[in-house]
Every structure is written in C-alpha cells, then in structure tokens.
Amino acid sequence: MVKGFSFGIRFDMVYTDSSDDAARFIFEEIFSVLTTSDLRGIEIYGGMANESDPAENGIYTVFMSGGSLKEMRRIFKKLKSDEGIKMYLASSSPFIEKNNMNNLSEFDFFGEVKWDGTLKGGNKEIFGLMVPKKHGKRRPVGKNIKMVLAPDSFKGSIGSSEAIKRLTLAARRHFPGVRIVPVPIADGGEGTVEALVTAANGSYRFCDATSPMGRRIKARYGVLYGKTAIIEMAAASGMNIDPTDGFDLTRASSFGTGELIRRALDEGIRDIIIGIGGSATNDCGIGCARALGFKLYDKDDNELTGTGSDMINVRRIDSEFMHPRIKDTRFTVMCDVTNPLLGESGATMTYGPQKGGTPEQLNELELGMQNMCNILSDYASADVNGQRGAGAAGGMGAMLFSLLGAELKPGIDALLQAVDFHKLLKGAALVVTGEGRLDSQTTRNGKAVAGILKACCGKGIPVAIITGSLGENAEEIYDIGNAGIMTLINAPMTGDEAIQDAVRLFDDAADRMFRLIRMGRDVEKIGAPKLPGQRWR
C-alpha cells in the first residue's frame, strides 16, 4: 500500500476568542467519531486560517498526514457523515495531496497517533486528549434542530453579522449538533448586498460604474436564487467613494447607481431590490434615470446631464429611449425613512448638510427639488411629495417611485421578501432576533424585530429576542406572537459603560438565553408525561 498522502479539512468555528479554544473543541469532536484504528500512524496538524482575510475569519484547518489515499478518503467519509461534525464543515470536500501540503510549518504539530491513542513527537500538547479505541453511539444534543439567527445591529457596538457569530457560538455550546441558518439584517445602506447574499447563499456581480463626481470605479451587486438582483446605492453613489476634498453636492450625480440597475436588466433579471441608504447625492435620482435611458430637457430642448444643479432647469422627461426591460421588471426599494421630498424635513434640508452642502447650495437644490417634484408628480399622476420615503437618498425614492413604478417598502419587509424568509423558516425550531433597545417603537414603527416576529407567528415558531435594554411599553411585542426577551444589562451601569462593554455583555446574555432554552427542554423531558410510543430526543 502506498503511503504518503496528506489530508486537509476546514472547520467553520464562526467565532472564537483563541486558536486553542477552537482546537480543543474541534479535536474533541473529531475524536468522538474516529478511533485509533482510523488514525494509528497518522500525523496531526492544525491551526487557524489567515485571520487578516475576513473571509477566513474563524476557519480552523486540520491536516492529517502519512496515510494512503484510501485511508484519507475513509476518514473524511466518517467525518462528513456525522451530523454533529457536519454542522461545522467549512467545505463539503477535503483537499488531499501526495506529500505535498504547503506551509505545514505554520501550523501546530500535535504528533503522531500511537497504538494506545496518544500523540507523540509533536511540538504542542493536544490538551490532554487521546484517540479512543472505540466509543458507543453518539447523538449530539441539538441534532436535527434548526435555528434561524436574524438579529439587527446593536447601534454603536455590534453589527448584525458579528451578533450572528456570537449567537452561533453560544447556541453550539448548549446545542452542539444544532443547524444554524444566518440571516444578517440590513436596512438598505452599506452592507445590504453582503447581508442578503449571505442570508440567501447568493452570488456577486461586478461592473464598472461612475462615482458621484464622475470617476470610473468598480462596483458590485448581488444576485439571489438566480432571479433577484440586490443593489445598494452606497456601492456606486455612496458617501465614501469620492474624496471629500473637492466634493460638490450640486455637481454630484446618481448615474452610477443607474449603471448597476442597467447591468442587472441586461442580465435578464426581472426582480430588482434597491437599498438607497448611505447616498452622497442630492439630484432627485435624475442621474440614475439618465443611465437607464431617460432623457432630460431644459426649456430650449437642450439635453441635461443629470446633476443636482440640473434639477431646476428640467422642463420635461422623455422616456422613449428608456431601457426596454423596465416595464416588465418589478422594482422594490428598501427605505426606512419617511421624509417627504420637500421642506424642512425633506431630502435637501434634512440630509444635505450631512453631504457637505453649504446653506447657499441647499437653497439652490431645494428650488430644483420643488421643480422636480412638480414634473415627477405630473409624470406619475400622483402626489410624489406625499409618498412615504420620497425624500430618501436625496430624492432617489421619488424618482424610483414615479419613473420606474417602484414600491417603497420598510427595509425589513423588503429583506425578508428578498431572502424568501418563509422558506428559510421551514423546519425551524427557534428564531433568534434582537436590537439595541426594545420599546414601543419596535412594534409601532415596524422595526426588524417586529417584522421577524410577525413572519414567525403564522408558523408557530417561538422567537427569542436579545436586546440591550427595555424601554417603555416593550411588552407590546408579546401581542404579536410567542416571544421571550433576554437583556444585556446585568448590573447598574450608564449607557456609555454598556456600549463600551457591549461584547462581553452580549456574550454573557447569549449564554444565559441558550442555557435557559436548554433547561426548558430538559424540564419538559423530565416532567411531561410521555405518550405511548413517544421518544424524547
């Protein structure tokens, strides 16, 4: 038999504080499946992947070297077929090479497996673990349990994706075999594409686009289930794209966002969701409209370029050359703001100062916005100014509504629709969500937690809510569905102290929450009478 093959397998730890914590856990799992007859004579290596690469965060790689190809395949088959370990695999296939594994010196060498299950000759101890000669049936707690993790961000401290990683670690601590479905929450701003692609296991597309100040840049959008495009305005027309030095709000254009939409239309996609948070423009979306084939003319029939300063000069919009697929496409806008297009609470006066507009520029842009409001209202035969969210993203909401017939929806509703949340809930035993502060506004303003609870209510799925603090009338959330609440605050402290210590408080609350959930399962198992033939898992 030819020896000399090396085998590598990657484990997704999601989040861990140290390489040693990850290693101990992983090898406990591996040795609960494999025995000395599988591993005798095999050298064991392990280590965390490149932590400087965000895509590799939390990946722990185990190398096994010195066996035959047949032996390596048998080992992987055993690991992959185990329900507990399968939850942690970062890849569905191992990588096997003939004595050609590179950079093994960068990983810890734990030694060669001897006949008695000990590891000898390594440069690091393996935490006192031994490979067993045999073991009985293994049925990890949590096997066949599916949990959906969909927390909102905790403003100023923990983002949605990080919260999911920390919740996953706590869930796996008390339900080791649990299947986790991550659903990062985004509101339409920067990070929306990444969140939805992660939740729906989608893919990215890249294309050239134009920045607000006219530079050529690379931008991306996402595609979900091969049929829905996710576009965030921040990717091509965002605040951080152009240098602040020389930025002029009156000359800024949303043309680049239109290029992303046009690219998705060219791809044949008929369902496009647009997140319009984080914009740097105040052009009422006319730059975007131009990229989609709409033509803007002044009183002398001169075609305009579509910047903020052009708004006041627009006299008519010609749709003859608009992209032909627009009329057959459904457009949904993720929009959590309710600002009208005009006035002190409108697009220009509310958000213009944040985008660097001077008082003189804001007055000029407001006059232009008033002109565009009249033109768009005539085009759509509707009161554009009064539409919810018309003033979002420098008037982009108004343009998408009037010219493309887009539906402006709260961010959470659009997100749940985009990822087909009801499909993700199939077979789920628990949904975990959360936000920084839970109060009456959660239910009355339709925030993420309320939207998720409503989606779970009709399916009878319980929802655990983790929150920084409770405000007035927070108990209104119970009127929506079956929910329980765990707060982060565990001692007297100020708001600033809580934010500074948010990570520790969150981890502690997550552990307490899953500990109680596990205890409830055990109480029912011990105390509830079992029906004839019933078996407890």
Side-chain angles (χ1 to χ4, degrees):
M1 182 181 295
V2 178
K3 292 272 186 176
F5 282 86
S6 294
F7 158 90
I9 183 169
R10 289 154 49 89
F11 294 88
D12 182 4
M13 298 306 297
V14 180
Y15 176 82
T16 185
D17 284 322
S18 73
S19 178
D20 281 353
D21 288 341
R24 179 190 298 273
F25 179 83
I26 284 297
F27 285 111
E28 284 176 350
E29 292 287 295
I30 290 174
F31 295 163
S32 69
V33 177
L34 302 176
T35 64
T36 52
S37 62
D38 300 310
L39 295 176
R40 187 180 299 120
I42 301 295
E43 294 180 347
I44 306 293
Y45 299 80
M48 297 296 288
N50 182 9
E51 297 182 0
S52 63
D53 183 353
E56 297 293 305
N57 186 29
I59 301 296
Y60 190 90
T61 304
V62 173
F63 292 106
M64 299 182 183
S65 183
S68 68
L69 181 59
K70 183 177 180 179
E71 288 173 327
M72 295 305 180
R73 285 175 172 169
R74 184 176 67 245
I75 291 172
F76 179 72
K77 185 176 180 180
K78 276 194 170 186
L79 293 175
K80 187 178 179 181
S81 64
D82 182 84
E83 289 295 330
I85 286 187
K86 191 160 63 175
M87 303 295 177
Y88 302 93
L89 294 182
S91 174
S92 60
S93 300
F95 42 95
I96 300 175
E97 297 185 19
K98 184 178 179 180
N99 266 353
N100 195 31
M101 302 304 290
N102 294 322
N103 300 319
L104 281 180
S105 60
E106 296 180 5
F107 292 86
D108 295 323
F109 175 42
F110 295 104
E112 179 183 330
V113 180
K114 300 300 181 180
W115 65 272
D116 60 353
T118 60
L119 276 80
K120 301 293 186 181
N123 55 27
K124 185 169 183 177
E125 295 292 329
I126 197 165
F127 318 108
L129 300 176
M130 292 178 59
V131 182
K133 292 185 177 181
K134 62 179 181 178
H135 35 65
K137 294 181 179 180
R138 179 174 180 269
R139 187 179 181 86
V141 176
K143 180 181 177 181
N144 298 329
I145 293 179
K146 174 181 175 181
M147 293 184 187
V148 177
L149 305 184
D152 201 349
S153 60
F154 288 63
K155 301 300 184 184
S157 55
I158 300 174
S160 177
S161 294
E162 183 180 358
I164 289 174
K165 293 177 181 179
R166 294 181 176 279
L167 286 170
T168 299
L169 186 66
R172 287 174 171 172
R173 185 179 303 124
H174 298 287
F175 297 89
V178 70
R179 177 187 172 196
I180 297 297
V181 177
V183 184
I185 301 299
D187 60 5
E190 187 172 0
T192 296
V193 169
E194 182 177 359
L196 270 67
V197 166
T198 298
N201 195 25
S203 58
Y204 293 108
R205 302 284 193 275
F206 296 86
C207 71
D208 293 328
T210 306
S211 77
M213 295 305 294
R215 295 187 306 111
R216 296 302 288 169
I217 59 173
K218 285 284 186 183
R220 73 177 183 180
Y221 61 95
V223 176
L224 313 183
Y225 309 118
K227 63 180 181 179
T228 300
I230 304 297
I231 293 170
E232 63 183 46
M233 193 173 175
S237 308
M239 294 286 289
N240 300 319
I241 295 177
D242 288 309
T244 55
D245 185 25
F247 184 83
D248 184 346
L249 187 59
T250 64
R251 295 192 296 112
S253 170
S254 58
F255 191 88
T257 299
E259 290 177 301
L260 293 180
I261 298 173
R262 186 178 67 201
R263 175 65 177 273
L265 291 170
D266 290 341
E267 192 177 340
I269 292 175
R270 295 292 184 271
D271 188 4
I272 298 178
I273 298 174
I274 308 166
I276 58 176
S279 74
T281 58
N282 197 92
D283 64 351
C284 201
I286 60 176
C288 175
R290 279 199 67 246
L292 295 172
F294 292 90
K295 294 185 178 296
L296 314 168
Y297 294 99
D298 65 11
K299 61 183 179 59
D300 298 319
D301 267 354
N302 296 313
E303 187 175 353
L304 301 170
T305 59
T307 63
S309 60
D310 283 335
M311 291 190 297
I312 198 169
N313 297 316
V314 177
R315 290 297 177 269
R316 67 184 180 91
I317 299 176
D318 187 349
S319 61
E320 180 181 359
F321 300 102
M322 75 175 185
H323 198 292
R325 289 175 176 160
I326 286 177
K327 61 180 181 297
D328 298 322
T329 301
R330 179 176 67 172
F331 295 92
T332 304
V333 179
M334 296 179 70
C335 177
D336 278 338
V337 303
T338 58
N339 303 73
L341 189 60
L342 306 175
E344 289 300 316
S345 59
T348 303
M349 296 304 177
T350 301
Y351 302 108
Q354 304 171 14
K355 300 173 183 180
T358 66
E360 294 78 13
Q361 289 176 329
L362 297 181
N363 290 331
E364 174 189 341
L365 292 169
E366 179 69 8
L367 291 174
M369 200 70 76
Q370 291 172 3
N371 178 53
M372 287 307 306
C373 182
N374 295 331
I375 293 173
L376 292 177
S377 294
D378 290 343
Y379 188 99
S381 300
D383 177 16
V384 171
N385 183 54
Q387 291 296 319
R388 181 189 185 278
M396 176 68 89
M399 187 282 292
L400 294 172
F401 165 78
S402 58
L403 298 190
L404 304 188
E407 181 182 7
L408 276 62
K409 300 180 68 172
I412 186 59
D413 293 343
L415 183 144
L416 297 182
Q417 172 189 312
V419 302
D420 202 352
F421 191 65
H422 287 283
K423 182 178 179 180
L424 295 180
L425 289 178
K426 185 177 181 180
L430 176 71
V431 173
V432 181
T433 184
E435 63 182 11
R437 180 176 175 82
L438 193 71
D439 55 26
S440 60
Q441 301 303 311
T442 302
T443 53
R444 297 174 190 177
N445 289 348
K447 290 186 177 181
V449 169
I452 289 168
L453 185 52
K454 288 177 182 177
C456 297
C457 180
K459 297 182 178 295
I461 301 173
V463 177
I465 302 171
I466 186 168
T467 182
S469 62
L470 295 177
E472 187 176 0
N473 297 320
E475 66 277 3
E476 291 179 2
I477 200 73
Y478 297 134
D479 296 332
I480 299 177
N482 182 15
I485 300 171
M486 176 65 70
T487 58
L488 270 63
I489 304 300
N490 58 10
M493 65 183 68
T494 66
D496 289 341
E497 289 173 338
I499 291 176
Q500 291 173 3
D501 203 18
V503 170
R504 184 188 65 81
L505 292 173
F506 187 94
D507 289 345
D508 178 65
D511 183 78
R512 283 185 277 119
M513 180 178 69
F514 284 110
R515 191 180 294 274
L516 285 171
I517 293 170
R518 171 69 187 274
M519 184 183 294
R521 172 186 179 275
D522 293 341
V523 168
E524 184 178 15
K525 179 179 177 181
I526 295 170
K530 287 182 280 189
L531 299 175
Q534 182 181 9
R535 295 179 62 190
W536 290 102
R537 292 184 301 186

